[in-house]
Amino acid sequence: MPFKFRKRESVSRKAVLLVPLLSFAVSLLFGAIMLILSGADPVVTYLAMFGGAFGSTHGLSEVLVKSIPLILTGLSVAIAFRMRFWNIGAEGQLTMGAVAATGAALFWSQGWPSWTIMPLSIAAGCIAGGLWAGVPAILKATLNVDETLTTLMLNYVAVLYSEHLYYVTWRAPGRNSGTERIPQVAWLSRFLGRAHTGIFFGLALALVLWLIFRYTRWGFELKIIGSNATAARYMGINIARNIILTLLISGAISGLAGAVEVLGLTRSLQQGISVGYGYTAIIIAWMAQLDPLGVIFVAFLMAALLVGGDQIQMRMRLPASVGIVLQAMLLIPMLAGGLFRDYSLHWERPPKTDGVAGSMQADGMEAGGAED
Amino acid sequence: MTGLVALLTSILTITLRAGTSLIFGTVGEIYTERSGILNLGIEGMMLASAVTGFGVGYYSDSALLGLVVAACMGGLLAAVHAFLTVTMRANQVVSGLSITLFGTGLASFLGERLGPATNNHSLVGLIGPRFSPLVVPGLSQIPVLGALFRQDPLTYALYVLVPLAWYYLYRTRFGLNLRAVGESPLTADAMGVDVIRIRYLYTILGGMLVGVGGAHLSLAYAPGWTENLTGGRGWIVIALVIFAMWNPLRAVLGAILFGGINAVQFRLQAGGTTIASAYLNMLPYLITILVLVAMTWWEALSHRVGAPAALGVPYIREDK
């Protein structure tokens, strides 16, 4: 091969900034090809998506609404990914958080003073999410059971369980689906349309986690486990304990996302609680390079793509999944570009041999992947 | 007695039908993982293949053409994964997840956009060509085992493909090279095996088999297209690879186990059980977790490691 990757002396700052920007451009370009092939005008579609997300107070409010669960689940995934624990169960943890928050607000807080209902409900959501992630964590820490599969399988279980609750067990009389509304004392207050104070949980947590990752021993341990588990073990870091502790926190944050969805937005457990935020969170965490403050920014961008997708569905009768495809398309060039952080690409002349024919022959052999 | 035989025959028939897509997927992923590449994109690849397979079948009125395009779709997405992980050395877990997310979104988009204008551009609810079961006269009358001979052509293809896949992997030079690359790419490279090429080749081949599995869903098992048609089968496939200990023959056992769960679910629901359907529907996912725990435990106790040693590790060839 005439091209060779050579390890850089230090991480390229230019690549760290350029790669996400280029990924965004590639994503838009690919999306445009897809739109053209399916008979839609990409420029009109993108303008409609942008206008839908940022062109009105309503749009902006909806972007904030979707940012809230995305920031929280994004943080949840980022914590686990930092130690290379592949928690892809944020969706299920969010769903169980919503279930427990609803249960606490509607049924389990009877007889408690009314001001305790909101904190109880939020705590219940965190605990449920934490436990939902805790099971795979314990299985990983004790038996080394693959966590990608266990966390993912539990998503399906959680969603089926929540459906069973709002279609059957907890269904409010007179409704086709969905529980009763939770009592008003437990509601998170709203501003700017449907955006709600749940966003402050996300912003505060991001800041706290940023400080933890930067300045505490625990943050350092996560990083070491993530980059080199063997070295971590030699340094005396208790990996099993870290896995369980970290995942309880990771799950609790996703559970919190579910709880604030219920308390701030839907105010009952109903259809639409699980719409894939937990999967988008994976893209967010990786795009943000697992940095908590980066998560806020990327989550906002992803929320805008989702709202833009919803808008073109309403206005142009194009599938809202355009937004989802664009999101996933962001990650692919981002992954490809990750290499440029640590490596640079070089053009290397093949070694000279006798005459032009010999050099061409050598070229051909190299290109054909033959062994030298 | 005849009632019981009829019941068992029917359960085995459904088991094999439900297991077919799983076997295609599992054999495909076994080949990919044997080369050292973990592909978590199966779920997205299956969905994208299922929708393109059905769409092409619908317009061309040829299930076979749909199948071929579905296989290409699976291969194409797998090629993206190979490029990201082999050439660009991206993290295999995250790359696979990105393929799943992309494939899921793409399938949803195509399903809502590829259909005819009369159906609001949607493919949902349309009836297209399908691979129908071909009943073998005589053999299909054998009690219980006759179920083996009431299947569609894709299931019949497995009767040849699975033993062949096993033979190729364990008894041919190509299979030896493949296993060598997955166990120790450095040694394989020293032996003169082109590690990069092998990894591309079997990732794409595995993807094509996954694509066939996806096509079996939309062209035979549950003909048509609905959003989230796979229902997590792509993930169950990844668990089945572990269950099969990376051996194509054992993949059949796992697929029969999970196909059997589907069949029992189906019979119970048809028979009007009092168990809530939500709990029945949780079974495959819960059993997957149990199977994983049991397999991991057993591997630890018996000191057997089924996974290729270099699974998930990028191969970086030192400059000479």
Short mmCIF file of all heavy atoms in Angstrom, two decimals, chain A residues 4 38 86 88 143-144 149 152-153 156-157 160-161 164 279 283 318-319 321-322 325 328 331-332 335-336 339 343 369 371, chain B residues 84 88-89 91 93-95 97-98 101-102 105-106 108-109 112-113 194 232 235 276 278-279 281-282 285 292 296 317 319:
data_model
loop_
_atom_site.label_atom_id
_atom_site.label_comp_id
_atom_site.label_asym_id
_atom_site.label_seq_id
_atom_site.Cartn_x
_atom_site.Cartn_y
_atom_site.Cartn_z
N LYS A 4 0.40 4.91 4.28
CA LYS A 4 0.73 4.27 5.55
C LYS A 4 0.29 5.16 6.69
O LYS A 4 0.42 6.38 6.63
CB LYS A 4 2.25 4.04 5.64
CG LYS A 4 2.70 2.82 4.86
CD LYS A 4 3.33 1.80 5.80
CE LYS A 4 3.23 0.39 5.24
NZ LYS A 4 4.09 0.16 4.09
N SER A 38 -34.80 8.96 -2.89
CA SER A 38 -36.19 8.67 -2.54
C SER A 38 -37.13 9.77 -3.04
O SER A 38 -38.28 9.84 -2.66
CB SER A 38 -36.34 8.48 -1.04
OG SER A 38 -36.22 9.72 -0.40
N TRP A 86 -19.79 -1.70 28.30
CA TRP A 86 -20.68 -1.31 27.20
C TRP A 86 -22.13 -1.38 27.65
O TRP A 86 -22.84 -2.33 27.35
CB TRP A 86 -20.42 -2.17 25.97
CG TRP A 86 -18.99 -2.11 25.55
CD1 TRP A 86 -18.08 -3.11 25.63
CD2 TRP A 86 -18.29 -0.98 25.03
NE1 TRP A 86 -16.86 -2.68 25.19
CE2 TRP A 86 -16.96 -1.37 24.81
CE3 TRP A 86 -18.65 0.33 24.73
CZ2 TRP A 86 -15.99 -0.51 24.30
CZ3 TRP A 86 -17.68 1.18 24.23
CH2 TRP A 86 -16.38 0.76 24.02
N ILE A 88 -25.48 -0.70 26.97
CA ILE A 88 -26.38 -0.22 25.92
C ILE A 88 -27.82 -0.41 26.37
O ILE A 88 -28.72 -0.56 25.58
CB ILE A 88 -26.10 -0.89 24.55
CG1 ILE A 88 -25.99 -2.39 24.69
CG2 ILE A 88 -24.86 -0.32 23.93
CD1 ILE A 88 -25.73 -3.06 23.36
N LEU A 143 -19.20 -13.09 37.24
CA LEU A 143 -19.07 -14.24 36.34
C LEU A 143 -18.47 -13.88 34.98
O LEU A 143 -18.29 -14.73 34.13
CB LEU A 143 -20.44 -14.88 36.11
CG LEU A 143 -21.07 -15.57 37.32
CD1 LEU A 143 -22.53 -15.89 37.03
CD2 LEU A 143 -20.31 -16.85 37.63
N ASN A 144 -18.24 -12.56 34.76
CA ASN A 144 -17.73 -12.09 33.48
C ASN A 144 -18.69 -12.37 32.32
O ASN A 144 -18.29 -12.71 31.22
CB ASN A 144 -16.36 -12.71 33.19
CG ASN A 144 -15.59 -11.88 32.18
OD1 ASN A 144 -15.85 -10.68 32.05
ND2 ASN A 144 -14.69 -12.52 31.47
N LEU A 149 -24.87 -7.79 25.73
CA LEU A 149 -26.09 -8.56 25.51
C LEU A 149 -27.04 -8.46 26.68
O LEU A 149 -28.25 -8.28 26.49
CB LEU A 149 -25.73 -10.03 25.23
CG LEU A 149 -25.06 -10.21 23.87
CD1 LEU A 149 -24.36 -11.56 23.78
CD2 LEU A 149 -26.08 -10.08 22.76
N LEU A 152 -28.69 -5.06 26.84
CA LEU A 152 -29.63 -4.88 25.74
C LEU A 152 -30.89 -5.72 25.91
O LEU A 152 -32.01 -5.25 25.67
CB LEU A 152 -28.96 -5.24 24.42
CG LEU A 152 -29.95 -4.86 23.34
CD1 LEU A 152 -29.53 -3.60 22.66
CD2 LEU A 152 -30.22 -5.97 22.41
N MET A 153 -30.74 -6.98 26.32
CA MET A 153 -31.91 -7.85 26.50
C MET A 153 -32.87 -7.25 27.52
O MET A 153 -34.08 -7.35 27.38
CB MET A 153 -31.46 -9.24 26.96
CG MET A 153 -30.73 -10.02 25.90
SD MET A 153 -31.82 -10.39 24.53
CE MET A 153 -30.68 -10.44 23.17
N TYR A 156 -35.61 -4.88 26.24
CA TYR A 156 -36.85 -5.47 25.74
C TYR A 156 -37.76 -5.83 26.91
O TYR A 156 -38.97 -5.62 26.87
CB TYR A 156 -36.55 -6.72 24.90
CG TYR A 156 -35.92 -6.40 23.57
CD1 TYR A 156 -34.55 -6.48 23.39
CD2 TYR A 156 -36.70 -6.01 22.49
CE1 TYR A 156 -33.96 -6.18 22.17
CE2 TYR A 156 -36.13 -5.71 21.26
CZ TYR A 156 -34.76 -5.79 21.11
OH TYR A 156 -34.18 -5.49 19.90
N VAL A 157 -37.15 -6.41 27.95
CA VAL A 157 -37.95 -6.82 29.12
C VAL A 157 -38.61 -5.59 29.74
O VAL A 157 -39.82 -5.60 30.04
CB VAL A 157 -37.06 -7.55 30.14
CG1 VAL A 157 -37.87 -7.91 31.38
CG2 VAL A 157 -36.46 -8.81 29.52
N LEU A 160 -41.48 -4.21 27.52
CA LEU A 160 -42.66 -5.09 27.58
C LEU A 160 -43.37 -4.94 28.92
O LEU A 160 -44.60 -4.89 28.99
CB LEU A 160 -42.23 -6.55 27.37
CG LEU A 160 -41.93 -6.95 25.93
CD1 LEU A 160 -41.21 -8.29 25.88
CD2 LEU A 160 -43.21 -7.00 25.10
N TYR A 161 -42.58 -4.82 29.99
CA TYR A 161 -43.16 -4.68 31.32
C TYR A 161 -43.95 -3.37 31.43
O TYR A 161 -45.08 -3.35 31.90
CB TYR A 161 -42.06 -4.74 32.38
CG TYR A 161 -42.56 -4.63 33.80
CD1 TYR A 161 -43.49 -5.54 34.30
CD2 TYR A 161 -42.12 -3.60 34.62
CE1 TYR A 161 -43.95 -5.42 35.60
CE2 TYR A 161 -42.57 -3.49 35.92
CZ TYR A 161 -43.49 -4.40 36.41
OH TYR A 161 -43.95 -4.28 37.69
N HIS A 164 -47.14 -3.60 29.60
CA HIS A 164 -48.12 -4.38 30.35
C HIS A 164 -48.77 -3.52 31.43
O HIS A 164 -49.98 -3.59 31.66
CB HIS A 164 -47.42 -5.59 30.97
CG HIS A 164 -48.33 -6.47 31.77
ND1 HIS A 164 -49.36 -7.18 31.18
CD2 HIS A 164 -48.41 -6.73 33.10
CE1 HIS A 164 -50.01 -7.85 32.12
NE2 HIS A 164 -49.46 -7.59 33.28
N TYR A 279 -30.74 4.73 22.91
CA TYR A 279 -29.85 4.34 21.82
C TYR A 279 -29.14 5.57 21.25
O TYR A 279 -27.94 5.53 20.96
CB TYR A 279 -30.63 3.60 20.73
CG TYR A 279 -31.27 2.33 21.25
CD1 TYR A 279 -32.64 2.24 21.45
CD2 TYR A 279 -30.49 1.23 21.58
CE1 TYR A 279 -33.22 1.09 21.95
CE2 TYR A 279 -31.05 0.07 22.08
CZ TYR A 279 -32.43 0.00 22.26
OH TYR A 279 -32.98 -1.13 22.76
N ILE A 283 -24.71 7.33 20.63
CA ILE A 283 -24.10 8.23 19.65
C ILE A 283 -23.60 9.49 20.35
O ILE A 283 -22.49 9.96 20.11
CB ILE A 283 -25.13 8.60 18.56
CG1 ILE A 283 -25.70 7.34 17.90
CG2 ILE A 283 -24.51 9.53 17.52
CD1 ILE A 283 -26.76 7.61 16.86
N LEU A 318 -42.55 13.53 4.93
CA LEU A 318 -41.36 12.67 4.82
C LEU A 318 -41.22 11.92 6.14
O LEU A 318 -41.61 12.44 7.18
CB LEU A 318 -40.11 13.51 4.59
CG LEU A 318 -39.83 13.97 3.16
CD1 LEU A 318 -38.69 14.95 3.15
CD2 LEU A 318 -39.52 12.78 2.27
N PRO A 319 -40.67 10.71 6.12
CA PRO A 319 -40.54 9.96 7.37
C PRO A 319 -39.68 10.70 8.39
O PRO A 319 -38.63 11.24 8.03
CB PRO A 319 -39.86 8.66 6.96
CG PRO A 319 -40.04 8.57 5.50
CD PRO A 319 -40.21 9.94 4.97
N SER A 321 -37.90 9.39 10.41
CA SER A 321 -36.67 8.62 10.59
C SER A 321 -35.49 9.23 9.85
O SER A 321 -34.36 8.81 10.07
CB SER A 321 -36.88 7.17 10.16
OG SER A 321 -37.60 7.10 8.98
N VAL A 322 -35.73 10.23 8.98
CA VAL A 322 -34.61 10.95 8.36
C VAL A 322 -33.67 11.45 9.46
O VAL A 322 -32.45 11.31 9.37
CB VAL A 322 -35.11 12.14 7.51
CG1 VAL A 322 -33.94 13.01 7.07
CG2 VAL A 322 -35.87 11.65 6.29
N VAL A 325 -31.63 8.55 10.85
CA VAL A 325 -30.58 8.11 9.93
C VAL A 325 -29.42 9.10 9.98
O VAL A 325 -28.25 8.71 10.02
CB VAL A 325 -31.12 7.97 8.50
CG1 VAL A 325 -29.99 7.63 7.54
CG2 VAL A 325 -32.20 6.90 8.43
N ALA A 328 -27.29 8.50 13.11
CA ALA A 328 -26.41 7.33 13.02
C ALA A 328 -25.29 7.60 12.03
O ALA A 328 -24.16 7.16 12.23
CB ALA A 328 -27.21 6.11 12.60
N LEU A 331 -22.14 9.18 13.41
CA LEU A 331 -21.22 8.36 14.18
C LEU A 331 -20.21 7.64 13.29
O LEU A 331 -19.06 7.44 13.66
CB LEU A 331 -22.02 7.36 15.02
CG LEU A 331 -21.27 6.52 16.03
CD1 LEU A 331 -20.46 7.37 16.97
CD2 LEU A 331 -22.25 5.66 16.82
N ILE A 332 -20.67 7.23 12.09
CA ILE A 332 -19.81 6.40 11.24
C ILE A 332 -18.54 7.14 10.79
O ILE A 332 -17.44 6.64 11.02
CB ILE A 332 -20.63 5.81 10.06
CG1 ILE A 332 -21.62 4.78 10.64
CG2 ILE A 332 -19.72 5.17 9.02
CD1 ILE A 332 -22.59 4.19 9.65
N LEU A 335 -16.23 7.64 13.72
CA LEU A 335 -15.43 6.47 14.09
C LEU A 335 -14.24 6.31 13.16
O LEU A 335 -13.13 5.99 13.59
CB LEU A 335 -16.30 5.21 14.01
CG LEU A 335 -17.24 4.99 15.18
CD1 LEU A 335 -18.26 3.93 14.83
CD2 LEU A 335 -16.43 4.57 16.38
N ALA A 336 -14.50 6.52 11.87
CA ALA A 336 -13.42 6.39 10.91
C ALA A 336 -12.35 7.44 11.18
O ALA A 336 -11.15 7.19 11.07
CB ALA A 336 -13.97 6.54 9.49
N LEU A 339 -9.11 7.61 14.08
CA LEU A 339 -7.73 7.17 13.85
C LEU A 339 -6.78 8.36 13.68
O LEU A 339 -5.61 8.29 14.07
CB LEU A 339 -7.70 6.28 12.61
CG LEU A 339 -6.41 5.53 12.31
CD1 LEU A 339 -6.09 4.58 13.43
CD2 LEU A 339 -6.55 4.77 11.01
N TYR A 343 -2.94 8.96 14.68
CA TYR A 343 -2.12 8.57 13.54
C TYR A 343 -2.19 9.63 12.45
O TYR A 343 -3.18 10.35 12.34
CB TYR A 343 -2.61 7.24 12.94
CG TYR A 343 -2.35 6.05 13.80
CD1 TYR A 343 -3.22 5.69 14.82
CD2 TYR A 343 -1.23 5.25 13.59
CE1 TYR A 343 -2.99 4.59 15.63
CE2 TYR A 343 -0.99 4.14 14.39
CZ TYR A 343 -1.87 3.81 15.40
OH TYR A 343 -1.64 2.72 16.18
N GLY A 369 -2.02 -6.64 -2.49
CA GLY A 369 -1.96 -7.13 -1.13
C GLY A 369 -1.04 -8.33 -0.98
O GLY A 369 -1.14 -9.09 -0.03
N GLU A 371 2.25 -10.51 -0.20
CA GLU A 371 3.23 -10.42 0.89
C GLU A 371 4.59 -10.06 0.33
O GLU A 371 4.97 -10.53 -0.74
CB GLU A 371 3.33 -11.76 1.63
CG GLU A 371 2.03 -12.20 2.23
CD GLU A 371 1.51 -11.18 3.24
OE1 GLU A 371 2.31 -10.64 4.01
OE2 GLU A 371 0.30 -10.93 3.21
N LEU B 84 -14.38 0.31 8.94
CA LEU B 84 -14.19 1.07 10.18
C LEU B 84 -13.25 0.35 11.13
O LEU B 84 -12.39 0.96 11.75
CB LEU B 84 -15.53 1.30 10.88
CG LEU B 84 -16.49 2.29 10.21
CD1 LEU B 84 -17.79 2.37 10.98
CD2 LEU B 84 -15.85 3.66 10.13
N MET B 88 -9.64 1.41 9.61
CA MET B 88 -9.57 2.61 10.44
C MET B 88 -9.39 2.26 11.93
O MET B 88 -9.34 3.16 12.76
CB MET B 88 -10.82 3.48 10.24
CG MET B 88 -11.08 3.89 8.81
SD MET B 88 -9.63 4.57 7.94
CE MET B 88 -9.59 6.23 8.60
N ARG B 89 -9.36 0.97 12.25
CA ARG B 89 -9.07 0.50 13.62
C ARG B 89 -10.00 1.12 14.66
O ARG B 89 -9.61 1.39 15.79
CB ARG B 89 -7.63 0.80 14.00
CG ARG B 89 -6.65 0.07 13.11
CD ARG B 89 -5.24 0.61 13.31
NE ARG B 89 -4.45 0.42 12.11
CZ ARG B 89 -3.28 1.00 11.89
NH1 ARG B 89 -2.77 1.81 12.79
NH2 ARG B 89 -2.62 0.78 10.79
N ASN B 91 -13.11 1.25 17.35
CA ASN B 91 -13.57 0.32 18.38
C ASN B 91 -14.68 -0.57 17.79
O ASN B 91 -15.68 -0.08 17.27
CB ASN B 91 -14.09 1.11 19.56
CG ASN B 91 -14.52 0.22 20.69
OD1 ASN B 91 -15.52 -0.48 20.57
ND2 ASN B 91 -13.77 0.23 21.77
N VAL B 93 -16.91 -2.57 19.16
CA VAL B 93 -18.23 -2.51 19.81
C VAL B 93 -18.99 -1.29 19.30
O VAL B 93 -20.14 -1.39 18.85
CB VAL B 93 -18.09 -2.46 21.34
CG1 VAL B 93 -19.43 -2.25 22.00
CG2 VAL B 93 -17.46 -3.74 21.85
N VAL B 94 -18.35 -0.13 19.35
CA VAL B 94 -19.04 1.09 18.97
C VAL B 94 -19.36 1.08 17.48
O VAL B 94 -20.44 1.50 17.06
CB VAL B 94 -18.22 2.33 19.35
CG1 VAL B 94 -18.99 3.59 19.06
CG2 VAL B 94 -17.85 2.29 20.81
N SER B 95 -18.44 0.57 16.67
CA SER B 95 -18.70 0.50 15.24
C SER B 95 -19.92 -0.39 14.96
O SER B 95 -20.81 -0.02 14.19
CB SER B 95 -17.49 -0.05 14.50
OG SER B 95 -17.82 -0.34 13.17
N LEU B 97 -22.37 -1.07 16.99
CA LEU B 97 -23.57 -0.37 17.45
C LEU B 97 -23.99 0.68 16.43
O LEU B 97 -25.17 0.86 16.17
CB LEU B 97 -23.30 0.31 18.80
CG LEU B 97 -23.14 -0.62 20.00
CD1 LEU B 97 -22.77 0.17 21.24
CD2 LEU B 97 -24.41 -1.40 20.23
N SER B 98 -22.99 1.37 15.84
CA SER B 98 -23.35 2.40 14.86
C SER B 98 -24.02 1.76 13.65
O SER B 98 -24.94 2.33 13.08
CB SER B 98 -22.11 3.21 14.44
OG SER B 98 -21.34 2.47 13.52
N LEU B 101 -27.61 1.02 14.72
CA LEU B 101 -28.43 2.23 14.76
C LEU B 101 -28.73 2.72 13.35
O LEU B 101 -29.87 3.08 13.02
CB LEU B 101 -27.71 3.33 15.55
CG LEU B 101 -27.53 3.03 17.04
CD1 LEU B 101 -26.56 4.01 17.68
CD2 LEU B 101 -28.88 3.06 17.75
N PHE B 102 -27.71 2.70 12.50
CA PHE B 102 -27.90 3.16 11.13
C PHE B 102 -28.87 2.24 10.38
O PHE B 102 -29.80 2.71 9.72
CB PHE B 102 -26.55 3.21 10.41
CG PHE B 102 -26.66 3.56 8.97
CD1 PHE B 102 -27.08 4.82 8.58
CD2 PHE B 102 -26.37 2.62 7.98
CE1 PHE B 102 -27.21 5.15 7.24
CE2 PHE B 102 -26.48 2.95 6.65
CZ PHE B 102 -26.89 4.21 6.27
N GLY B 105 -32.47 2.77 11.53
CA GLY B 105 -33.02 4.01 10.99
C GLY B 105 -33.29 3.90 9.50
O GLY B 105 -34.35 4.30 9.02
N LEU B 106 -32.32 3.33 8.79
CA LEU B 106 -32.46 3.18 7.34
C LEU B 106 -33.68 2.31 7.01
O LEU B 106 -34.47 2.64 6.13
CB LEU B 106 -31.20 2.56 6.76
CG LEU B 106 -31.17 2.41 5.24
CD1 LEU B 106 -31.03 3.77 4.58
CD2 LEU B 106 -30.02 1.50 4.79
N SER B 108 -36.32 1.79 8.78
CA SER B 108 -37.54 2.52 9.08
C SER B 108 -37.83 3.54 7.97
O SER B 108 -38.96 3.68 7.50
CB SER B 108 -37.36 3.19 10.44
OG SER B 108 -38.28 4.21 10.61
N PHE B 109 -36.78 4.25 7.53
CA PHE B 109 -36.94 5.24 6.46
C PHE B 109 -37.42 4.58 5.16
O PHE B 109 -38.38 5.02 4.55
CB PHE B 109 -35.62 5.97 6.22
CG PHE B 109 -35.64 6.91 5.04
CD1 PHE B 109 -36.23 8.15 5.16
CD2 PHE B 109 -35.08 6.54 3.83
CE1 PHE B 109 -36.26 9.02 4.08
CE2 PHE B 109 -35.11 7.41 2.75
CZ PHE B 109 -35.69 8.64 2.87
N GLU B 112 -40.98 3.45 5.10
CA GLU B 112 -41.99 4.50 5.00
C GLU B 112 -41.91 5.27 3.69
O GLU B 112 -42.70 6.18 3.45
CB GLU B 112 -41.81 5.51 6.15
CG GLU B 112 -42.22 4.99 7.51
CD GLU B 112 -41.81 5.97 8.59
OE1 GLU B 112 -42.61 6.87 8.88
OE2 GLU B 112 -40.70 5.86 9.12
N ARG B 113 -40.89 4.96 2.88
CA ARG B 113 -40.65 5.80 1.71
C ARG B 113 -40.64 5.02 0.39
O ARG B 113 -40.93 5.56 -0.66
CB ARG B 113 -39.29 6.49 1.91
CG ARG B 113 -38.98 7.60 0.96
CD ARG B 113 -39.91 8.78 1.12
NE ARG B 113 -39.80 9.65 -0.04
CZ ARG B 113 -40.62 10.64 -0.32
NH1 ARG B 113 -41.63 10.91 0.48
NH2 ARG B 113 -40.46 11.38 -1.39
N ASP B 194 -2.90 -13.27 4.51
CA ASP B 194 -3.20 -11.85 4.49
C ASP B 194 -4.32 -11.55 5.49
O ASP B 194 -5.50 -11.74 5.20
CB ASP B 194 -3.61 -11.43 3.07
CG ASP B 194 -3.74 -9.93 2.95
OD1 ASP B 194 -3.94 -9.26 3.98
OD2 ASP B 194 -3.63 -9.43 1.81
N GLY B 232 -35.38 -7.99 17.93
CA GLY B 232 -34.22 -8.38 18.73
C GLY B 232 -33.53 -9.66 18.27
O GLY B 232 -32.59 -10.12 18.91
N TRP B 235 -29.78 -9.56 18.04
CA TRP B 235 -29.04 -9.63 19.29
C TRP B 235 -29.02 -11.06 19.80
O TRP B 235 -28.01 -11.50 20.36
CB TRP B 235 -29.66 -8.69 20.32
CG TRP B 235 -29.48 -7.27 19.92
CD1 TRP B 235 -30.43 -6.44 19.40
CD2 TRP B 235 -28.27 -6.52 19.97
NE1 TRP B 235 -29.87 -5.21 19.14
CE2 TRP B 235 -28.57 -5.23 19.48
CE3 TRP B 235 -26.97 -6.81 20.38
CZ2 TRP B 235 -27.60 -4.23 19.39
CZ3 TRP B 235 -26.02 -5.82 20.30
CH2 TRP B 235 -26.34 -4.54 19.81
N ALA B 276 -50.22 -13.43 30.87
CA ALA B 276 -50.23 -12.19 30.09
C ALA B 276 -49.22 -12.30 28.96
O ALA B 276 -48.12 -12.82 29.14
CB ALA B 276 -49.90 -11.01 30.99
N ALA B 278 -47.44 -10.15 27.60
CA ALA B 278 -46.18 -9.43 27.85
C ALA B 278 -45.15 -10.36 28.47
O ALA B 278 -43.98 -10.36 28.09
CB ALA B 278 -46.42 -8.24 28.76
N TYR B 279 -45.59 -11.17 29.43
CA TYR B 279 -44.65 -12.06 30.11
C TYR B 279 -44.17 -13.16 29.17
O TYR B 279 -42.99 -13.54 29.18
CB TYR B 279 -45.28 -12.65 31.37
CG TYR B 279 -45.55 -11.57 32.40
CD1 TYR B 279 -46.83 -11.32 32.86
CD2 TYR B 279 -44.51 -10.78 32.88
CE1 TYR B 279 -47.07 -10.31 33.78
CE2 TYR B 279 -44.74 -9.78 33.80
CZ TYR B 279 -46.02 -9.54 34.25
OH TYR B 279 -46.25 -8.53 35.14
N ASN B 281 -43.88 -12.81 25.98
CA ASN B 281 -42.98 -12.17 25.03
C ASN B 281 -41.61 -11.85 25.62
O ASN B 281 -40.65 -11.65 24.89
CB ASN B 281 -43.61 -10.89 24.47
CG ASN B 281 -44.80 -11.20 23.59
OD1 ASN B 281 -44.89 -12.29 23.03
ND2 ASN B 281 -45.72 -10.26 23.49
N MET B 282 -41.54 -11.79 26.95
CA MET B 282 -40.25 -11.53 27.59
C MET B 282 -39.35 -12.76 27.55
O MET B 282 -38.13 -12.65 27.69
CB MET B 282 -40.45 -11.18 29.07
CG MET B 282 -40.91 -9.79 29.34
SD MET B 282 -41.16 -9.65 31.13
CE MET B 282 -42.14 -8.16 31.18
N TYR B 285 -35.90 -13.07 25.70
CA TYR B 285 -34.86 -12.17 26.17
C TYR B 285 -34.32 -12.66 27.52
O TYR B 285 -33.12 -12.65 27.76
CB TYR B 285 -35.40 -10.74 26.27
CG TYR B 285 -36.11 -10.34 25.00
CD1 TYR B 285 -37.48 -10.07 24.99
CD2 TYR B 285 -35.43 -10.30 23.79
CE1 TYR B 285 -38.13 -9.73 23.81
CE2 TYR B 285 -36.08 -9.97 22.61
CZ TYR B 285 -37.44 -9.69 22.63
OH TYR B 285 -38.08 -9.37 21.47
N LEU B 292 -26.64 -17.10 28.56
CA LEU B 292 -25.32 -16.46 28.63
C LEU B 292 -24.65 -16.74 29.96
O LEU B 292 -23.47 -17.07 30.02
CB LEU B 292 -25.47 -14.95 28.47
CG LEU B 292 -25.60 -14.44 27.05
CD1 LEU B 292 -25.91 -12.95 27.07
CD2 LEU B 292 -24.30 -14.69 26.31
N THR B 296 -21.26 -18.89 30.33
CA THR B 296 -20.06 -18.27 30.88
C THR B 296 -19.57 -19.06 32.08
O THR B 296 -18.37 -19.29 32.26
CB THR B 296 -20.37 -16.81 31.30
OG1 THR B 296 -21.15 -16.20 30.29
CG2 THR B 296 -19.10 -16.03 31.49
N ARG B 317 -0.14 -4.02 11.79
CA ARG B 317 1.08 -4.64 11.29
C ARG B 317 2.24 -3.67 11.47
O ARG B 317 2.18 -2.54 11.03
CB ARG B 317 0.90 -4.97 9.83
CG ARG B 317 1.94 -5.89 9.33
CD ARG B 317 1.64 -6.25 7.91
NE ARG B 317 2.67 -7.16 7.45
CZ ARG B 317 2.73 -7.59 6.22
NH1 ARG B 317 1.85 -7.22 5.34
NH2 ARG B 317 3.69 -8.40 5.86
N ASP B 319 5.59 -1.78 10.82
CA ASP B 319 6.33 -1.47 9.60
C ASP B 319 7.63 -2.25 9.59
O ASP B 319 8.28 -2.40 10.62
CB ASP B 319 6.65 0.03 9.56
CG ASP B 319 5.40 0.82 9.29
OD1 ASP B 319 4.49 0.27 8.63
OD2 ASP B 319 5.31 1.96 9.76
#
